[in-house]
Amino acid sequence: MLIDLRSDTVTKPSPEMKQAMLNAELGDDVFGEDPTVKQLEEKIAAMFGMEAALFCPSGTMTNQIAIKAHTQPLDELICDKICHIYNYETGGWAFHSGISIRLTDGDRGRMNASQIEELILPDQDWLPNTRMVAIENTVNKGGGSIYSVAEMKTLSDFCRSKNLIYHLDGARIFNALSALNEKPEALHSMFDSISVCISKGLGAPAGSVLAGKKDFIKRSRKLRKVMGGGMRQSGILAAACIYALDYNVERLKDDHSKATELAETLNQLAWVNKVLPVETNIVIFEVADAAKVAEQLSKENIRIQPFSPTLLRMVTHLDFTDAMLQKAKEVLIKLKL
Ligand SMILES: *Cc1c(COP(=O)(O)O)cnc(C)c1O
């Protein structure tokens, strides 16, 4: 039994999801003729109270398109120093959009209004134009930390008062909503744009959706094409995403309780220095030598992700079963370091 806790992207489509893909009605989506893609886009737009949405191959693309569509060169984006947009999208903000970035030092990736306010620049020839704020919910590198609905709303009001565009990198927004016992409706009219990944905890093989106003999505469609993301019969993927939204949202709570159990086990181990508080499906913990721990675990058929020389990450997901949880706990307890 191989236990893969490196990411919630490692899940494989279930037989039921594959059946939904086989049954999908298809067309050429570059011509705007794939009914299943349209259905997915309308579903996400309605859920999050947006006018329109756009299906893309990845969350990197939805974030990068959003930045490009909202900004022009000499603009600046404010985000947190540990966020995905800054760290893990290959510096795409500079490559695609020619903008600069200014970083907050938030609470496990969560920014507050006063931290943002300090970074807003005055209108001077020698300074970039502060244009946009992007938050991440949940925060991956923060150990799946969550912004509450009230915190997201406070930042929304703040951004509006400062005339700043407000984007949500919601790669794991359904994990956040599940942990908060909230529905996507809670986010209506807060954000200028929202990016949602269906290929993470929700278990689709690929696909993210960008939602926003009609004219923003129209510009985003053109940007998707120039970035090479115009797909043809992509309804076959959209069908998996629709299936995931219909069947895999409620069960996210299981992933969260398994992550909590893993953290409880880790907290009892002498070789673990620290475990970040677990709020959703991500467990980040600190050890003396992360590579060594990852290697020892891989010998026991458990794969986890070193995040730095001393940090490791485990992510629970729908292919991580109860039996795997028991086995993982046993191996962790027995590990000799
Ligand atoms: C995974 C992830 C993305 C998008 O990643 P892709 O692999 O390009 O789909 C964006 N933001 C966060 C916070 C993520 O965890």
Side-chain angles (χ1 to χ4, degrees):
M1 173 162 72
L2 176 70
I3 301 176
D4 197 342
L5 291 166
R6 286 172 304 163
S7 175
D8 45 9
T9 56
V10 301
T11 57
K12 302 202 177 115
S14 64
E16 296 78 14
M17 184 181 275
K18 284 180 183 161
Q19 198 55 52
M21 297 170 81
L22 281 176
N23 294 343
E25 227 186 295
L26 303 174
D28 187 326
D29 185 53
V30 173
F31 294 156
E33 290 172 5
D34 191 301
T36 310
V37 170
K38 280 192 183 151
Q39 193 193 332
L40 171 65
E41 290 172 343
E42 281 162 16
K43 191 176 174 79
I44 289 282
M47 267 183 176
F48 289 93
M50 292 294 201
E51 289 174 7
L54 181 71
F55 183 49
C56 290
S58 73
T60 298
M61 188 178 273
T62 46
N63 280 333
Q64 291 302 319
I65 288 176
I67 294 167
K68 179 79 183 159
H70 284 312
T71 65
Q72 56 188 31
L74 306 184
D75 283 349
E76 188 159 83
L77 165 69
I78 296 175
C79 54
D80 191 79
K81 68 174 188 180
I82 65 171
C83 77
H84 195 277
I85 286 175
Y86 178 62
N87 290 285
Y88 300 126
E89 299 185 6
T90 333
W93 76 86
F95 183 77
H96 297 295
S97 303
I99 62 159
S100 55
I101 274 199
R102 207 161 289 259
L103 301 169
T104 59
D105 182 8
D107 168 27
R108 288 196 294 137
R110 290 165 300 194
M111 319 188 264
N112 63 42
S114 67
Q115 288 166 335
I116 296 171
E117 188 157 30
E118 279 175 24
L119 303 183
I120 297 175
L121 300 172
D123 182 14
Q124 299 285 7
D125 288 350
W126 53 89
L127 297 173
N129 307 307
T130 308
R131 184 73 61 206
M132 176 173 174
V133 170
I135 70 161
E136 188 173 308
N137 199 10
T138 68
V139 186
N140 174 13
K141 252 192 142 177
S145 46
I146 302 173
Y147 286 89
S148 70
V149 170
E151 286 164 338
M152 287 188 278
K153 177 74 166 79
T154 300
L155 293 184
S156 174
D157 293 342
F158 174 78
C159 288
R160 227 149 260 172
S161 76
K162 300 289 180 187
N163 222 359
L164 296 173
I165 287 152
Y166 186 39
H167 172 74
L168 171 63
D169 176 356
R172 295 190 180 81
I173 190 62
F174 283 101
N175 293 88
L177 293 169
S178 165
L180 293 164
N181 285 315
E182 295 279 0
K183 298 269 176 254
E185 287 89 87
L187 275 55
H188 283 195
S189 60
M190 271 191 205
F191 292 96
D192 295 294
S193 52
I194 297 183
S195 156
V196 182
C197 288
I198 325 290
S199 60
K200 298 273 165 81
L202 298 184
S208 291
V209 183
L210 179 64
K213 286 209 156 53
K214 270 200 180 113
D215 64 331
F216 165 81
I217 292 298
K218 189 169 190 296
R219 277 178 285 134
S220 296
R221 236 185 119 79
K222 189 166 278 216
L223 291 168
R224 183 185 66 174
K225 191 71 179 85
V226 77
M227 288 183 188
M231 299 184 288
R232 301 295 176 169
Q233 286 72 33
S234 41
I236 201 157
L237 290 172
C241 294
I242 292 168
Y243 181 91
L245 289 165
D246 288 343
Y247 295 100
N248 293 345
V249 172
E250 292 296 320
R251 58 154 309 286
L252 289 171
K253 286 187 190 307
D254 293 352
D255 298 343
H256 299 176
S257 64
K258 286 193 180 94
T260 302
E261 274 198 51
L262 285 172
E264 281 165 2
T265 302
L266 289 169
N267 267 318
Q268 295 161 18
L269 304 175
W271 51 271
V272 174
N273 298 337
K274 186 178 166 191
V275 186
L276 290 194
V278 171
E279 297 181 47
T280 50
N281 68 329
I282 301 179
V283 185
I284 293 182
F285 60 106
E286 192 188 293
V287 296
D289 184 346
K292 188 173 159 199
V293 173
E295 195 196 314
Q296 297 259 35
L297 286 172
S298 85
K299 284 184 193 148
E300 303 283 345
N301 277 331
I302 298 177
R303 305 179 78 178
I304 72 172
Q305 183 84 358
F307 236 38
S308 80
T310 55
L311 291 176
L312 289 152
R313 185 184 76 163
M314 299 194 291
V315 189
T316 59
H317 51 74
L318 84 174
D319 289 351
F320 179 59
T321 61
D322 290 330
M324 290 177 184
L325 173 64
Q326 292 318 315
K327 172 83 184 164
K329 283 164 59 178
E330 281 165 32
V331 169
L332 285 168
I333 288 165
K334 278 192 208 140
L335 212 62
K336 298 257 181 303
L337 281 153

